[in-house]
């Protein structure tokens, strides 16, 4: 079988899979017109590409073979995404719709409009897949019974927001990284050649950690941490810290297999954004104490090639964080930074109160009066799910 | 134990950023691949068969030359574009061709595109084919990671 025959066969397979998507579209209800329209558009694009591929296969010129191969790589991704969305659409039930209410509420409050979106619930932490106008959010099962987990929405909406202008945002952040390490190179003092080579190698590895290949993913994660802290304040830092205490044994360890920056760098970036009034609130002081104790007790695991102090130097993290805030303000000027110090008195109907305020209120109570927190959280879930 | 926890939690949650990365790279790959197809179709006399207009062809030529100019610049100074940085880094590791040779081949191709005389030397397109194959390989890897982890 020639390669052209193989791609002819692949086209048949893709057409077959498109039929299943067609069936999903036909059997879907009238909700999710945005997703349905996107699915139909994707379906047409795939069909159109298959027609082109068919013509190229008929022509059979060797110069077209690599073009067909690359087209198939892109088509497979489009098909996977369309299948994921169609399947989620078919599985949507009351639980998904409940969490969709929380996502919808926060996207409206953050002024990050979503044309239409889907929610799936199951294993694994929060994830967002797909285009910024029609994303698919995935949340853990426990988001149905605990408002505590909802704070992840602020980070995930950050991913949706960045997709509106990812190239520009990441280019700016990469520029900051290059600038920082250029300064580091220029400030190497008078040392012998061996030592200089050693220092320069460490600096290059640190720079690569942030910018090499797909590693700009780490800069996107840091941006989303900043976005979530900018919009949800201490509530996000509390959740991040809690996740760290639960899961991360070595908060300073530079792990090349993890696409997130080390937890300590994420935490420091978030803390850097907070207004002083929030840092000095009771809730802020409590979190500062918890983090100090956690970091004092956390073990160290050295990485001889990548030292935390070089990769995540305070000046770099602060410069990246300042740039993230500048980018948030310039790209979404209407977005308000969360400035409230959590009041501990009372909360009205959760539906009428911004989600960031609800979560800060709940978490502040959680540290102070757990019984009250238990009742308040239950009320919040009832208010929002039953609207 | 620590590794298991990190894989379970962090690798799943980083999928959002991976999904953005895949979207952006896929879009670039698709646009450049289509541009190469249009230029190639003109060389092979298949414009009518593939319903490619003169305007589409000119747009494709412009896109390719702009991309190649940006790419060539990145061979001599760090780029703030994450995808181009990745490609340049991969090229530097290629044992068969020096950076100077890449620069010279790119320059020749850009000139041929701008002078509209690619038909005289269609082999010049090999350099963009090589770049696109590197981009395609990186994209496939990211797609596979997304596919296998989001299940």
């Amino acid at each position: 079988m020639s390669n052209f025959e193989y791609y002819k066969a692949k086209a048949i397979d893709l057409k077959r899979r498109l039929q299943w998507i067609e069936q999903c579209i036909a059997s879907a209800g009238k909700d999710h017109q945005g997703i349905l329209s996107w699915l139909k558009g994707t379906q047409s694009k795939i069909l159109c590409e298959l027609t082109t591929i068919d013509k190229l296969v008929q022509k059979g010129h060797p110069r077209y073979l690599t073009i067909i191969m690359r087209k198939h790589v892109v088509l497979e991704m489009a098909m996977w995404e369309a299948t994921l969305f169609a399947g989620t659409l078919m599985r949507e039930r009351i639980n998904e719709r409940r969490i969709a209410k929380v996502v919808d509420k926060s996207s409206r409050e953050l002024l990050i409009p979503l044309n239409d979106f889907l929610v799936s619930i199951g294993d694994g932490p929060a994830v967002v897949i797909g285009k910024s106008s029609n994303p698919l959010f995935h949340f853990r099962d426990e988001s149905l019974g605990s408002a505590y987990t909802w704070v992840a929405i602020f980070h995930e909406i950050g991913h949706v927001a960045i997709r509106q202008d990812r190239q520009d945002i990441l280019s700016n952040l990469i520029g900051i990284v290059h600038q920082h390490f250029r300064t580091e190179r220029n400030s190497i003092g008078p040392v012998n050649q061996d030592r200089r080579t050693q220092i320069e190698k460490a600096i290059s590895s640190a720079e690569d950690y942030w910018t090499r290949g797909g590693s700009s993913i780490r800069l996107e994660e840091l941006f989303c941490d900043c976005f979530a802290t900018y919009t949800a304040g201490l509530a996000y830092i509390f959740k991040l810290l809690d996740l760290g205490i639960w899961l991360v044994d070595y908060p300073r360890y530079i792990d090349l297999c993890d696409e997130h920056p080390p937890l300590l760098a994420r935490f420091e970036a978030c803390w850097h954004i907070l207004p002083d009034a929030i840092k000095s609130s009771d809730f802020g002081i409590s979190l500062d104490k918890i983090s100090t104790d956690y970091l004092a007790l956390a073990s160290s695991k050295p990485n001889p090639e990548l030292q935390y102090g070089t990769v995540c130097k305070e000046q770099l993290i602060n410069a990246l964080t300042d740039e993230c805030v500048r980018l948030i303000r310039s790209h979404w000027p209407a977005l308000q930074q969360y400035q409230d110090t959590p009041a501990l008195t009372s909360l009205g109907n959760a539906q009428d109160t911004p989600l960031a305020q609800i979560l800060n209120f709940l978490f502040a109570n959680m540290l102070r009066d757990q019984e009250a927190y238990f009742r308040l959280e239950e009320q919040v879930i009832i208010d929002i799910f039953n609207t | 134990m620590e590794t298991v926890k990190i894989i379970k939690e962090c690798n799943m949650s980083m999928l959002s950023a991976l999904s953005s990365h895949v979207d952006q790279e896929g879009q670039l790959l698709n646009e450049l691949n289509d541009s190469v197809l249009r230029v190639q179709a003109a060389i092979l006399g298949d414009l009518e068969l593939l319903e490619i207009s003169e305007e589409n062809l000119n747009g494709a030529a412009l896109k390719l030359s702009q991309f190649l100019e940006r790419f060539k610049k990145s061979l001599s100074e760090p780029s703030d574009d994450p995808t181009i940085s990745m490609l340049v880094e991969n090229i530097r590791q290629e044992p068969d061709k020096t950076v100077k040779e890449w620069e010279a081949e790119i320059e020749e191709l850009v000139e041929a595109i701008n002078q509209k005389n690619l038909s005289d030397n269609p082999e010049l397109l090999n350099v963009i084919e090589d770049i696109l194959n590197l981009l395609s390989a990186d994209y496939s890897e990211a797609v596979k990671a997304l596919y296998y982890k989001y299940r």
Side-chain angles (χ1 to χ4, degrees), chain B residues 101-143:
Chain B
E101 286 169 322
W102 279 98
E103 278 175 343
E105 287 182 22
I106 290 171
E107 209 168 291
E108 262 191 290
L109 174 57
V110 171
E111 201 178 316
I113 291 172
N114 293 342
Q115 302 288 328
K116 296 190 175 178
N117 59 6
L118 250 181
S119 312
D120 300 342
N121 195 357
E123 299 299 312
L124 288 177
L125 278 174
N126 289 352
V127 66
I128 184 73
E129 282 282 347
D130 288 345
I131 294 171
L132 284 192
N133 287 339
L134 288 172
L135 178 60
S136 179
D138 190 74
Y139 176 73
S140 296
E141 200 181 322
V143 168

Side-chain angles (χ1 to χ4, degrees), chain A residues 101-277:
Chain A
K101 285 181 184 178
V102 190
V103 176
D104 183 53
K105 178 176 168 60
S106 63
S107 84
R108 277 187 289 107
E109 288 164 3
L110 297 181
L111 307 173
I112 304 290
L114 301 169
N115 173 30
D116 194 2
F117 64 94
L118 286 173
V119 166
S120 81
I121 298 172
D123 285 344
V127 173
V128 62
I129 301 270
K131 306 283 179 287
S132 63
S133 53
N134 297 308
L136 185 159
F137 292 88
H138 174 84
F139 295 104
R140 282 184 186 280
D141 293 313
E142 62 243 42
S143 56
L144 288 162
S146 159
Y148 180 64
T149 59
W150 297 352
V151 76
I153 289 172
F154 290 86
H155 179 98
E156 297 309 316
I157 288 190
H159 283 294
V160 172
I162 200 174
R163 281 169 209 195
Q164 293 172 3
D165 203 357
R166 186 173 191 263
Q167 181 79 27
D168 178 64
I169 290 171
L170 288 188
S171 294
N172 278 289
L173 295 178
I174 289 172
I176 297 283
V177 173
H178 286 321
Q179 194 183 334
H180 169 81
F181 287 108
R182 205 162 34 238
T183 310
E184 290 291 294
R185 275 189 192 91
N186 292 340
S187 60
I188 302 173
V191 287
N192 66 42
Q193 191 52 44
D194 283 354
R195 180 69 188 132
R196 173 171 290 274
T197 309
Q198 201 181 7
I199 297 171
E200 280 178 348
K201 195 178 164 208
I203 291 174
S204 294
S205 302
E207 191 169 15
D208 282 353
Y209 173 84
W210 290 104
T211 59
R212 189 176 172 179
S215 299
S216 54
I217 288 172
R218 293 193 181 106
L219 290 172
E220 178 169 335
E221 288 296 350
L222 194 73
F223 175 86
C224 293
D225 285 333
C226 293
F227 184 92
T229 309
Y230 188 84
T231 51
L234 281 171
Y236 182 72
I237 298 184
F238 185 36
K239 189 76 184 83
L240 187 68
L241 184 60
D242 180 43
L243 191 77
I245 292 171
W246 178 38
L247 289 165
V248 181
D249 297 331
Y250 308 108
R252 297 174 187 85
Y253 183 61
I254 309 289
D255 186 353
L256 286 173
C257 296
D258 185 0
E259 301 295 353
H260 288 95
L263 181 84
L264 180 58
R266 297 174 72 187
F267 184 79
E268 286 186 337
C270 294
W271 195 256
H272 183 66
I273 288 177
L274 285 180
D276 288 342

Side-chain angles (χ1 to χ4, degrees), chain A residues 279-331:
Chain A
K279 283 180 189 166
S280 57
S281 68
D282 287 348
F283 187 23
I285 291 167
S286 298
L287 282 196
D288 195 18
K289 172 95 176 58
I290 296 167
S291 69
T292 307
D293 289 350
Y294 161 63
L295 292 169
L297 290 170
S299 312
S300 287
K301 182 180 170 186
N303 179 338
E305 287 175 17
L306 289 164
Q307 305 277 342
Y308 182 87
T310 310
V311 178
C312 300
K313 199 170 183 176
E314 191 183 352
Q315 287 94 322
L316 172 63
I317 298 301
N318 288 349
L320 284 171
T321 309
D322 290 339
E323 182 63 6
C324 286
V325 171
R326 188 193 70 76
L327 289 163
I328 291 168
R329 287 185 176 141
S330 64
H331 281 73

